[in-house]
Amino acid sequence: MIRLLLVLTLPLFALDQVTKRTIVDRFDPPDPVMGVDSQPVIPGFFDLVRVHNTGVAFGSFNGGKWSNHIFGGISLLALAVIAIL
């Protein structure tokens, strides 16, 4: 079971890292004043855009004052639930 999990996840992880590195190498860093740098792949339908997400999933709690504390608490709660189960 562990072998199957590794066979499925490691290539996806490697592909994720390669695509992120490619975007970082080919795009200028996002400028908070001027907006973001984008390159059309399929004009009028699909553009690649470099955006930095400093929050969690979909930018939730992006730069919030208590973000680290909230997610630290969620992590501890999840760990406690797992330990109890």
Side-chain angles (χ1 to χ4, degrees):
M1 182 67 178
I2 297 293
R3 179 175 277 166
L4 176 63
L5 184 64
L6 290 175
V7 166
L8 293 174
T9 58
L10 287 179
L12 291 175
F13 174 75
L15 180 64
D16 177 62
Q17 294 303 306
V18 167
T19 57
K20 286 178 182 175
R21 174 53 46 195
T22 301
I23 294 296
V24 167
D25 289 344
R26 294 185 183 193
F27 284 75
D28 292 330
D31 182 0
V33 175
M34 298 300 292
V36 295
D37 184 18
S38 68
Q39 294 180 2
V41 176
I42 302 172
F45 180 71
F46 181 70
D47 294 347
L48 285 177
V49 179
R50 179 178 174 180
V51 177
H52 288 225
N53 178 7
T54 58
V56 293
F58 309 110
S60 300
F61 299 99
N62 197 0
K65 181 178 179 182
W66 297 98
S67 298
N68 289 340
H69 298 290
I70 292 169
F71 288 105
I74 291 171
S75 298
L76 290 174
L77 179 65
L79 183 60
V81 169
I82 290 169
I84 291 169
L85 294 176

